[in-house]
């Protein structure tokens, strides 16, 4: 168990130190080497996932009535961070943070009963598909279309970068309706689509990430859906999806905060032990100061992440800005921490054995996804600084 980081600065509730400790101890029994080996073997961290589910950690943000502990995102982001801080950055934990609040806030009672208990104990999984090859960040331009039929809907279109579809029972899909408004924008709706529904096919996308999750291009070729597949209200999908997008940003930040902690803990140990010119390398300010600076940035990112989660749980209007700032800060802070940790390790920083270099691209991912740093800066410029919309 690593303990370097001061959690008192970032925790916002009395029970959180115990939660951190319990999750951290569970994940530490698996640790970085386990995660590397599973990933190398193209497997999945099933044992770790199942144990997290059995212990109730996957459902800390799921309401008690549906099998969780009802504590919210403030606790869930701690789970995500602690697992990553043991060298296990599980992207599927971030997907869970999107789909749970969307179903909880907008699903029917039947849909909640169907999905939430399984998402809480880890026995069921949902992937999430909004991104499309041609629309990119501009969600208004998505072309995956849901057409009304006598019995429900027919879905047609293509998504890409859908993570972990091979591990999921179903995928939550953002689709457009058939009609558009005066600006050519179609109203969006959300659907739950079984991963093995007739008409779905998928192609894996090869990436540089060393993670167990595979990303897919997904084709929906006239997939028939029953009326109950619709989440919430037809045409309200854009509004509804935000119940999940802010938590997703917070949990992306939490993963990076965990990666940064893992890297800095390893770097501090190495800098204390490694001697090149008689004294430990950490005695040189050229080594110590960049690590201290990285620590400061990581603590600031963790604080922003905890605050964003708290605001999200309170249903605050400010949760959007806070979630964006948290993800922005955590992406930069973790890359600085990781880069410095690699540097401190000399040549060993590039060796897989030390568990750092192969974290680079999963940390780097969150500069681009789930929302790019440019789109965050666009948001801040427009909404926080009152500048004209630039796009
Ligand atoms: C490993 C991985 C996993 C992913 N998992 C999922 C998933 O599970 N489900 C899912 O739906 N998606 C997923 N994504 C997709 C991810 O959310 C998108 O890649 C991301 O939102 C960026 O969209 P894009 O790739 O289409 O980039 P584009 O929208 O094409 O943008 C390209 C570049 O242009 C910039 N840009 C665009 N518009 C502007 C503007 N107005 N001003 C300034 N700059 C601009 C962007 O910031 C970016 O740098 C995943 C992506 C990756 C890499």
């Amino acid at each position: 168990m690593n303990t370097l980081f001061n959690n008192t600065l970032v925790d916002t509730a009395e029970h959180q130190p115990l939660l951190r400790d319990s999750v951290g101890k569970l994940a530490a029994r698996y640790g970085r080497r386990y995660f590397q080996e599973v990933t190398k073997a193209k497997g999945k961290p099933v044992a770790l996932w199942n144990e997290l589910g059995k212990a109730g950690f996957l459902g800390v943000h799921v309401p008690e009535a549906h099998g969780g502990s009802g504590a919210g995102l403030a606790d869930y982001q701690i789970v995500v961070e602690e697992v990553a801080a043991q060298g296990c950055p599980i992207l599927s934990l971030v997907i869970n943070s999107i789909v749970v609040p969307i179903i909880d806030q907008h699903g029917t009672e039947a849909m909640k009963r169907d999905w939430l208990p399984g998402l809480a104990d880890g026995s069921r999984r949902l992937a999430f598909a909004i991104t499309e090859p041609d629309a990119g960040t501009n969600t208004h331009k998505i072309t995956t279309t849901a057409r009304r039929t006598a019995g429900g809907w027919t879905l047609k279109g293509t998504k890409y970068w859908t993570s972990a579809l091979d591990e999921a029972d179903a995928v939550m899909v953002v689709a457009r309706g058939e009609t558009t408004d005066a600006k050519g924008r179609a109203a969006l709706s959300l659907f739950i689509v079984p991963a093995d529904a007739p008409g779905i096919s998928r192609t894996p996308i090869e990436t540089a990430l060393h993670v167990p999750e595979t990303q897919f291009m997904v084709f929906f070729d006239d997939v028939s859906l029953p009326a109950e597949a619709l989440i919430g209200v037809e045409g309200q999908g854009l509004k509804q999806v935000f119940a999940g997008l802010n938590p997703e940003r917070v949990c992306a930040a939490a993963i990076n905060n965990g990666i940064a902690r893992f890297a800095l803990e390893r770097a501090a140990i190495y800098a204390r032990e490694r001697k090149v010119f008689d004294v430990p390398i950490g005695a040189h300010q050229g080594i110590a100061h960049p690590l201290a600076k990285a620590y400061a940035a990581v603590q600031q990112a963790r604080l922003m992440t905890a605050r964003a989660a708290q605001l999200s749980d309170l249903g605050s209007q400010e949760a959007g800005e806070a979630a964006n700032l948290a993800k922005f800060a955590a992406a930069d802070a973790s890359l600085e921490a990781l880069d410095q940790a690699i540097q401190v390790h000399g040549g060993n920083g590039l060796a897989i054995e030390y568990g750092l270099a192969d974290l680079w691209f999963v940390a780097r991912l969150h500069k681009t996804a789930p929302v790019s740093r440019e789109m965050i800066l666009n948001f801040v410029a427009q909404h926080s600084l009152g500048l004209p919309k630039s796009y």
Side-chain angles (χ1 to χ4, degrees):
M1 275 289 295
N2 46 39
T3 52
L4 256 189
F5 274 74
N6 186 344
N7 296 322
T8 315
L9 297 184
V10 294
D11 285 340
T12 52
E14 258 182 50
H15 67 274
Q16 288 176 342
L18 181 60
L19 174 67
R20 272 190 195 286
D21 193 55
S22 311
V23 178
K25 280 186 175 140
L26 190 162
R29 284 196 278 106
Y30 292 86
R32 182 81 191 122
R33 188 51 57 87
Y34 162 81
F35 201 74
Q36 285 181 310
E37 280 168 7
V38 163
T39 303
K40 193 173 171 193
K42 299 199 182 307
K44 311 291 175 190
V46 179
L48 172 55
W49 181 270
N50 287 347
E51 225 188 304
L52 287 167
K54 210 168 147 207
F57 297 139
L58 299 179
V60 293
H61 58 326
V62 174
E64 281 180 280
H66 295 293
S69 38
L73 184 62
D75 278 11
Y76 189 69
Q77 70 90 15
I78 288 177
V79 174
V80 178
E81 182 192 303
E82 291 302 323
V83 176
Q86 297 305 325
C88 307
I90 304 182
L91 292 176
S92 293
L93 290 174
V94 180
I95 304 174
N96 184 307
S97 77
I98 314 168
V99 296
V100 163
I102 292 176
I103 292 177
D104 181 32
Q105 292 175 36
H106 301 290
T108 58
E109 265 314 302
M111 192 179 270
K112 290 182 203 180
R113 274 199 306 277
D114 184 15
W115 279 102
L116 294 179
L119 292 170
D121 68 18
S123 59
R124 292 183 86 199
R125 304 274 286 272
L126 269 170
F128 177 73
I130 186 168
T131 310
E132 295 191 3
D134 294 331
T137 299
N138 188 355
T139 304
H140 294 294
K141 278 184 134 179
I142 65 170
T143 56
T144 297
T145 305
R147 190 164 41 83
R148 266 192 179 279
T149 60
W153 309 85
T154 297
L155 198 62
K156 194 174 186 59
T158 304
K159 296 287 179 185
Y160 85 152
W161 290 113
T162 305
S163 289
L165 183 60
D166 54 338
E167 299 175 69
D169 302 281
V171 50
M172 189 180 283
V173 177
V174 183
R176 51 175 282 154
E178 289 180 282
T179 53
T180 51
D181 65 14
K183 287 185 180 167
R185 294 173 167 188
L188 306 181
S189 302
L190 302 179
F191 298 89
I192 293 184
V193 184
D196 59 357
I200 288 194
S201 55
R202 62 186 192 223
T203 311
I205 302 170
E206 204 178 340
T207 76
L209 279 74
H210 291 263
V211 290
E213 291 85 0
T214 304
Q215 280 70 40
F216 294 94
M217 180 92 121
V218 190
F219 307 93
F220 300 89
D221 191 6
D222 287 332
V223 175
S224 290
L225 298 173
E228 310 82 72
L230 176 72
I231 303 173
V233 182
E234 180 185 0
Q236 295 295 306
L238 192 59
K239 200 169 133 214
Q240 293 175 180
V241 87
F242 267 92
L245 295 189
N246 285 332
E248 180 186 28
R249 289 167 198 185
V250 169
C251 289
I255 275 221
N256 280 42
N257 292 336
I259 291 172
R261 275 177 51 196
F262 174 84
L264 285 180
E265 305 263 358
R266 290 273 170 116
I269 292 168
Y270 199 84
R272 281 195 295 259
E273 291 173 357
R274 172 81 169 159
K275 287 183 184 170
V276 182
F277 291 97
D278 301 327
V279 294
I281 55 169
H284 306 302
Q285 286 188 340
I287 291 289
H289 280 188
L291 289 180
K293 187 165 166 261
Y295 178 94
V298 173
Q299 287 294 64
Q300 287 159 16
R302 295 177 78 210
L303 249 184
M304 194 68 235
T305 308
R307 179 68 175 142
Q310 197 182 37
L311 289 171
S312 176
D313 287 338
L314 292 170
S316 165
Q317 289 291 329
E318 310 306 326
E321 176 177 329
N324 276 332
L325 295 181
K327 203 225 66 154
F328 185 85
D332 280 355
S334 62
L335 287 170
E336 186 190 339
L338 194 49
D339 185 45
Q340 202 49 45
I342 290 170
Q343 191 67 16
V344 164
H345 279 76
N348 287 337
L350 281 304
I352 293 295
E353 183 190 342
Y354 286 78
L356 295 168
D358 51 345
L359 283 171
W360 184 262
F361 283 104
V362 60
R364 177 63 183 78
L365 165 69
H366 291 140
K367 232 171 161 169
T368 302
V371 58
S372 68
R373 74 181 267 123
E374 291 76 21
M375 292 312 289
I376 290 180
L377 294 175
N378 283 339
F379 176 96
V380 170
Q382 186 186 340
H383 297 283
S384 313
L385 300 177
L387 302 178
K389 185 172 176 176
S390 61
Y391 60 97

